[in-house]
Every structure is written in C-alpha cells, then in structure tokens.
Amino acid sequence: MRSITEDADGIPSYPPSLPAPNVQEMVLKDPLKVPERYTRNEEEMQKKAEMSHLSFQIPLIDLSLLSEGNKEELTKLDSACEKWGFFQVVNHGVPSEVLQGLKDASAEFFELPSGEKNKVSMSPNDIQGYGHAYVAYLNESKRVAEELLGYLSLVLGMDTGSLLELHKQVVQGLRLNYYPPCPMPDKVLGLSPHSDTSTITILAQDGNVAGLQIRHQEGWVPVEPIPNALVVNIGDVIEILSNGKYKSIEHRAVTNKTKARLSHAVFVVPHDEVEIEPLGHFIESHGSLPIYKKVNM
C-alpha cells in the first residue's frame, strides 16, 4: 500500500513509509502460509452476512446526464447518497488509456523486487517513470471530483459552487492498494472495515477481481467492477455537513484465493485550514440541534 499526495502544481510526492513486513515478500517465500497477525477469527469474519444478491442495486450515476442538467439523474444521486453512500460513475470522461496507464504502472511497480521499489522516488521538479501515469490520472480525477462536488452542492441544497468554495482548495491523496492471492480468504481481510475522513473518495477498481464490499442493511454487499467505471463514496465531511442525513459508509476489502487485486483510491479533502460543521438548514431539520461539532479534517 502506498499513498501519494500532490502539491499545488499537481505533482505527486511520496511520504516516507513506516517499517512494516512486506506482504509480497512473505507470499514469495511461502505462498501457502499466512502469518497469525493477519488472520481473523470466525466470529469476526462472519459478523455480518455477505449479500451478493444486492450488488446489482448499487446505484449507477451517469455524469454526462448530470452535466446536461438532467433532474432525474440528480434525484438518483441524492437517493444514492442517502440510501447507499456509494455509487458507480459512468460516462465520466476519463480516457480509457489514462485508466489503463494507471493500472499498468501500478502493476509494474508492484512486480518490482522489494529493493527496486525502495529506489523508486521522484523529485518535485522531475516527473519521470511511474509519475506520468499518476499525474495524468490525478488531473482527470480532480476534474471529476470538482464536477461531483458541484452536483453534491445541489443535493445539499446549496449553489453549484458552494462545496468548492468551502474547500478553498481541492486536495487529493492517491493510495495504491495491492492484495496478493491469499490461501485463506475466509480468514483474512485485505482491508479492515472503516469509513473515510474525506469529502468523497474516488476508486478505480481492478477490472478483473472483485474485492470491495460495503456495509448495507447489516450485511456486506460486494461492489462488482464495471469496465471503466469509477466507484465513489461519501466521506465524513459530507456526513458532517448534512448533519447525518448522508452517511459515511463502512466498507472493507476481502481477499481472493487465486488472484491478486489492485485498486487506486483518490481521497478528496478540503484545505487543512477549513473547519467543517453541519450546514444551517440541516440543523433546522433536526430540531435546531447539530449532531456534530465543528472540526478540522
């Protein structure tokens, strides 16, 4: 797993990694052994049932229809935020070659020996190697994020530019996730259940392997990959602004016994000086009592 942030010019930078066992190296040494620290007990793994039959109900939002001012699509977005907290976006305008370039660069990076990975670095003024693919994608994801923030502003009962103005600066963080094949997928999670502190998160899934699951109706619903679609989820910022009307939904990643999986998550957050609190009209709808305090995200 590797996180990338960007500066004001959109150039990615790589924070230092914390010392941790390299999962890929462990798999290479013994692909049939899973260290005890990564296993979960049966009660924890089966705490909530998997509800695969609901996968097809996860909302699909057409960004091109939103850009045309389609009111029905905006109503779908509102419903998706309130009932699911997750939706898949199609016709978003991100070129397929940019998405493929992102996935190819990440696959190539994770195939490198551990020593070579550690040598991969970038100076602020020298875009090279993997940076080209990441910069190209971050430019596109920022455009998609800003468009979505405009439509979410309308959903939140504000003018189109309100969320962008509130953010002061749209900041993105890109996290690359690699999940190797796991001999014990019934006992190992790729990523523990959590919600995101972002405004929204935009995920480019591996097109061949499902792994993301979202909490819904006390169960876990798999998010099946749709070619070239982007998965978007509501984060804590939107939950706070809406005073709890739109929830930042818990989600997790599961492992696969025979296939590796890659995912690319862009976390969209406000400038770190911005304070977030419930919007006035949402407070009024809850009897003038804010559920959340003012916070810096």
Side-chain angles (χ1 to χ4, degrees), residues 53-173:
H53 63 286
L54 294 181
S55 292
F56 74 96
Q57 294 185 19
I58 296 173
L60 194 66
I61 301 297
D62 189 327
L63 196 58
S64 67
L65 290 179
L66 288 175
S67 67
E68 294 170 1
N70 188 297
K71 293 183 179 180
E72 183 178 339
E73 202 68 13
L74 191 64
T75 300
K76 280 177 59 179
L77 177 62
D78 183 23
S79 176
C81 293
E82 184 171 6
K83 295 180 180 178
W84 285 86
F86 268 79
F87 49 92
Q88 299 214 53
V89 178
V90 296
N91 294 327
H92 42 64
V94 180
S96 57
E97 58 266 26
V98 171
L99 286 169
Q100 192 59 51
L102 172 74
K103 296 172 184 178
D104 289 346
S106 297
E108 183 180 336
F109 172 78
F110 283 110
E111 286 297 321
L112 292 174
S114 181
E116 291 298 313
K117 286 194 190 78
N118 294 333
K119 294 178 183 178
V120 174
S121 62
M122 295 173 57
S123 62
N125 299 313
D126 184 18
I127 302 175
Q128 57 182 323
Y130 304 100
H132 289 294
Y134 297 140
V135 169
Y137 180 67
L138 283 169
N139 286 337
E140 291 291 339
S141 65
K142 188 171 186 178
R143 174 188 57 78
V144 172
E146 290 179 348
E147 287 187 41
L148 285 172
L149 290 179
Y151 302 125
L152 288 170
S153 294
L154 297 176
V155 165
L156 289 167
M158 303 185 293
D159 294 332
T160 306
S162 296
L163 275 179
L164 278 175
E165 184 178 345
L166 182 149
H167 278 63
K168 291 188 177 179
Q169 176 188 349
V170 173
V171 180
Q172 297 184 107

Side-chain angles (χ1 to χ4, degrees), residues 10-265:
I11 306 301
S13 61
Y14 301 80
S17 299
L18 295 174
N22 186 295
V23 174
Q24 284 179 283
E25 294 297 320
M26 288 190 288
V27 171
L28 288 173
K29 288 179 181 178
D30 190 347
L32 298 180
K33 180 181 179 181
V34 177
E36 187 175 345
R37 62 179 291 181
Y38 293 105
T39 61
R40 309 297 177 95
N41 59 49
E42 185 175 353
E43 181 181 357
E44 187 176 3
M45 291 296 292
Q46 297 183 355
K47 194 173 183 180
K48 300 182 188 303
E50 185 172 318
M51 305 170 72
S52 301
H53 63 286
L54 294 181
S55 292
F56 74 96
Q57 294 185 19
I58 296 173
L60 194 66
I61 301 297
D62 189 327
L63 196 58
S64 67
L65 290 179
L66 288 175
S67 67
E68 294 170 1
N70 188 297
K71 293 183 179 180
E72 183 178 339
E73 202 68 13
L74 191 64
T75 300
K76 280 177 59 179
L77 177 62
D78 183 23
S79 176
C81 293
E82 184 171 6
K83 295 180 180 178
W84 285 86
F86 268 79
F87 49 92
Q88 299 214 53
V89 178
V90 296
N91 294 327
H92 42 64
V94 180
S96 57
E97 58 266 26
V98 171
L99 286 169
Q100 192 59 51
L102 172 74
K103 296 172 184 178
D104 289 346
S106 297
E108 183 180 336
F109 172 78
F110 283 110
E111 286 297 321
L112 292 174
S114 181
E116 291 298 313
K117 286 194 190 78
N118 294 333
K119 294 178 183 178
V120 174
S121 62
M122 295 173 57
S123 62
N125 299 313
D126 184 18
I127 302 175
Q128 57 182 323
Y130 304 100
H132 289 294
Y134 297 140
V135 169
Y137 180 67
L138 283 169
N139 286 337
E140 291 291 339
S141 65
K142 188 171 186 178
R143 174 188 57 78
V144 172
E146 290 179 348
E147 287 187 41
L148 285 172
L149 290 179
Y151 302 125
L152 288 170
S153 294
L154 297 176
V155 165
L156 289 167
M158 303 185 293
D159 294 332
T160 306
S162 296
L163 275 179
L164 278 175
E165 184 178 345
L166 182 149
H167 278 63
K168 291 188 177 179
Q169 176 188 349
V170 173
V171 180
Q172 297 184 107
L174 171 62
R175 174 171 290 177
L176 317 179
N177 299 302
Y178 174 81
Y179 307 96
C182 177
M184 301 166 60
D186 57 328
K187 293 185 178 180
V188 178
L189 286 175
L191 199 60
S192 298
H194 66 284
S195 61
D196 295 342
T197 59
S198 58
T199 305
I200 57 173
T201 302
I202 301 174
L203 182 76
Q205 288 209 88
D206 190 318
N208 300 314
V209 187
L212 173 64
Q213 296 185 343
I214 63 178
R215 184 178 177 181
H216 185 73
Q217 296 179 355
E218 299 305 316
W220 292 106
V221 180
V223 182
E224 295 295 335
I226 297 175
N228 290 332
L230 298 172
V231 180
V232 177
N233 64 278
I234 296 303
D236 293 352
V237 171
I238 295 293
E239 178 169 339
I240 293 171
L241 290 174
S242 68
N243 206 32
K245 179 180 179 181
Y246 306 119
K247 301 295 186 184
S248 180
I249 298 299
E250 193 176 41
H251 49 287
R252 69 181 187 179
V254 297
T255 53
N256 187 286
K257 190 170 186 177
T258 60
K259 296 179 180 179
R261 175 176 174 262
L262 278 169
S263 69
H264 307 78

Side-chain angles (χ1 to χ4, degrees), residues 259-272:
K259 296 179 180 179
R261 175 176 174 262
L262 278 169
S263 69
H264 307 78
V266 172
F267 301 93
V268 179
V269 298
H271 189 278
D272 58 12

